Amino acid sequence: MKEFTQRKFYRPYVSPFDPCPPIRVKSYETPPELYLGFQPPGLPQYKPHQALFCGTLWPVLFSPYEKSYTRGDET
Amino acid sequence: MWIYEKKLQYPVRVSTCNPMLARFLIEQYGGADGELSAALRYLNQRYSIPDEVIGLLTDIGTEEFAHLEMIATMVYKLTKDATPDQMKAAGLGDHYVNHDNALFYHNASGVPWTASYIQAKGDPIADLYEDIAAEEKARATYQWIIDMSDDPDLNDGLRFLREREVVHSQRFREAVEILKEERDKKKYF
């Protein structure tokens, strides 16, 4: 079982005749609500102050979004 | 490219002359959740989605055109021999003055089809969820049309189309599961 990630990568088909330099690896977001199902009670919570910053009380629902230029090849 | 087979995906039989039904059916022709919207949505989204889902969008988008053709046949059969008076009595007077007995891409209220009915967000999860929602809305529309229709032959075709919405929704949900899997993960370090 691989480690859970909120960003998946794939290698799109690249044609030998593509006019622009190909981006060999692309990515897409798979945020945590895709996986949680009906949220069970009693999950770990952030401290109130931290929760205000994060936008959620529960770490399991926190979805950081990094800058988009790390989505493909460059990282 | 496509190869065309000059036959319908499922036989279309219409037992009674009922132009009023055509007015309701046109919702699935040029409505927001209709077959035209579905076909164009899927065939357009497939360019910017991970490779393992492209084929599904191609197949389902193509099948939606087959459904569009069935709806067109139903509407055509229901109206082709209707006189202007019959069209008017069926609530199709405003359609008649604009289109005669021709088909046009508009919904049951006569609102013309618009590309704003469909979306390509580029985010594969967002796009597939829109597709699932579209299939469920189309399924519901077929249910309400069947509720309004007293033509058993026509309803047979509509039940087939409703079932296909169910299957398509299931396939899109499976596509989401494929994209959720941890595979082909970027190797760091």
Side-chain angles (χ1 to χ4, degrees):
Chain A
M1 189 69 187
K2 286 174 177 169
E3 183 195 348
F4 170 70
T5 63
Q6 293 193 26
R7 178 171 290 167
K8 309 291 189 289
F9 296 88
Y10 67 102
R11 298 182 161 273
Y13 171 74
V14 170
S15 162
F17 306 112
D18 284 346
C20 301
I23 298 174
R24 304 237 170 230
V25 177
K26 294 195 176 185
S27 75
Y28 57 94
E29 301 297 304
T30 50
E33 77 276 14
L34 287 179
Y35 300 91
L36 187 55
F38 201 113
Q39 182 177 348
L43 291 180
Q45 298 182 358
Y46 288 120
K47 295 271 186 283
H49 196 69
Q50 182 69 20
L52 285 172
F53 273 108
C54 289
T56 175
L57 189 52
W58 299 277
V60 72
L61 274 177
F62 182 63
S63 181
Y65 183 77
E66 303 302 331
K67 284 173 284 193
S68 59
Y69 62 72
T70 62
R71 284 172 56 189
D73 263 344
E74 297 87 344
T75 47
Chain B
M1 70 172 279
W2 277 265
I3 293 173
Y4 184 74
E5 277 190 56
K6 192 175 162 51
K7 59 186 181 190
L8 295 174
Q9 187 189 9
Y10 187 89
V12 166
R13 300 288 296 272
V14 180
S15 47
T16 53
C17 173
N18 188 353
M20 174 80 83
L21 251 184
R23 187 186 159 157
F24 302 143
L25 268 174
I26 206 83
E27 182 70 29
Q28 282 299 65
Y29 194 64
D33 308 316
E35 304 291 355
L36 180 71
S37 300
L40 297 181
R41 178 188 297 113
Y42 306 151
L43 293 176
N44 177 253
Q45 285 177 354
R46 62 196 167 128
Y47 294 95
S48 50
I49 208 141
D51 292 31
E52 53 266 69
V53 196
I54 294 174
L56 181 72
L57 286 173
T58 306
D59 289 352
I60 296 183
T62 301
E63 186 178 343
E64 303 294 2
F65 275 130
H67 296 171
L68 188 72
E69 198 176 42
M70 286 177 61
I71 297 290
T73 305
M74 291 173 179
V75 171
Y76 176 67
K77 285 188 179 209
L78 285 165
T79 57
K80 74 187 178 76
D81 297 314
T83 63
D85 277 348
Q86 286 175 314
M87 292 289 277
K88 191 158 69 178
L92 287 168
D94 40 6
H95 182 277
Y96 184 83
V97 294
N98 202 4
H99 305 290
D100 187 3
N101 287 6
L103 282 79
F104 192 67
Y105 293 116
H106 58 63
N107 70 9
S109 313
V111 179
W113 189 88
T114 164
S116 57
Y117 288 158
I118 65 176
Q119 176 61 293
K121 206 67 188 174
D123 179 294
I125 299 297
D127 282 349
L128 283 171
Y129 269 66
E130 173 181 334
D131 301 346
I132 293 166
E135 295 292 337
E136 302 299 348
K137 287 189 281 183
R139 171 184 58 76
T141 306
Y142 278 121
Q143 290 164 194
W144 313 151
I145 296 174
I146 290 169
D147 288 353
M148 302 260 268
S149 160
D150 51 7
D151 188 323
D153 285 335
L154 192 81
N155 283 355
D156 184 54
L158 292 177
R159 271 190 289 272
F160 171 85
L161 291 170
R162 178 186 173 278
E163 179 60 35
R164 297 309 298 162
E165 311 293 342
V166 171
V167 174
H168 291 170
S169 178
Q170 170 65 20
R171 298 296 170 245
F172 284 133
R173 288 159 196 267
E174 289 166 1
V176 171
E177 293 306 309
I178 289 170
L179 295 190
K180 280 166 67 178
E181 278 169 23
E182 302 283 349
R183 81 271 173 273
D184 204 19
K185 209 166 79 176
K186 180 85 172 170
K187 305 282 188 295
Y188 292 102
F189 321 120

